[in-house]
Amino acid sequence: MGLSAEDKKTCEEAFKLYEDEPGKILAYNLGEVMRAPGANPTEEELEKIVSNKQHITFEEYMKAMESQTMHEDPSTKLAGYFTIFDAEGTGRVDTTEMRSVLNNLGERFSQEEMGQVMLMADIDEEGKMQIEDIVKFCKQYK
């Protein structure tokens, strides 16, 4: 994927903040050091890199960062999650189902927040709302 010159500089700065000894960080800090400049490694990726090591060298860190997607827009992933509830592929989801999902999974929304979602969304005559309206709300309020 490659890192821009600016990303490389930011990665180096993040690494230096956590440096335990010259050119090395403690392995258990790797996730934080990778996330600081904008990467989002999975736990599996971290475990593979660390693999029982106590320290990670700067070279190992930069190699791992090269394989990461930086500055990813969460809107795309979020919209993808909500399309699970769009069985017809119309870009719309049933508001009753959405209310249930948002109230029962992950970070819970308050009744006021649920009301705001419903007010913000353009609900059609079938009781469905656009996925893009839900994503806008989630980005704005969560």
Side-chain angles (χ1 to χ4, degrees):
M1 290 173 206
L3 297 171
S4 69
E6 185 177 328
D7 285 339
K8 287 179 183 178
K9 183 178 178 186
T10 304
C11 289
E12 186 175 351
E13 290 170 2
F15 189 89
K16 286 182 186 236
L17 286 173
Y18 284 85
E19 221 168 22
D20 182 52
E21 53 186 77
K24 295 180 179 180
I25 60 169
L26 292 169
Y28 67 80
N29 286 330
L30 181 62
E32 286 182 52
V33 180
M34 289 182 75
R35 289 181 185 101
N40 192 20
T42 65
E43 288 303 315
E44 292 81 21
E45 289 172 317
L46 294 172
E47 288 171 17
K48 185 177 178 183
I49 298 164
V50 170
S51 69
N52 297 322
K53 296 176 191 166
Q54 292 213 341
H55 287 90
I56 301 296
T57 65
F58 181 69
E59 291 74 23
E60 290 171 317
Y61 165 71
M62 289 303 291
K63 182 180 177 187
M65 291 302 288
E66 288 285 340
S67 68
Q68 293 292 307
T69 301
M70 302 287 281
H71 318 291
E72 189 173 34
D73 180 10
S75 301
T76 306
K77 274 191 174 179
L78 198 53
Y81 298 143
F82 286 112
T83 58
I84 293 168
F85 304 101
D86 178 20
E88 299 160 2
T90 61
R92 301 175 310 143
V93 295
D94 184 88
T95 55
T96 305
E97 185 174 7
M98 277 312 307
R99 185 181 297 269
S100 174
V101 169
L102 292 176
N103 277 327
N104 295 309
L105 297 176
E107 187 172 338
R108 303 207 189 293
F109 285 81
S110 68
Q111 289 299 340
E112 181 182 331
E113 289 170 326
M114 285 304 303
Q116 289 173 343
V117 171
M118 298 303 157
L119 288 174
M120 186 176 162
D122 183 22
I123 300 171
D124 65 20
E125 64 281 345
E126 295 176 23
K128 295 187 177 189
M129 56 199 279
Q130 295 290 323
I131 290 173
E132 104 183 17
D133 289 341
I134 302 165
V135 171
K136 282 181 194 173
F137 173 82
C138 290
K139 282 178 62 178
Q140 186 173 0
Y141 292 99
K142 291 288 181 182

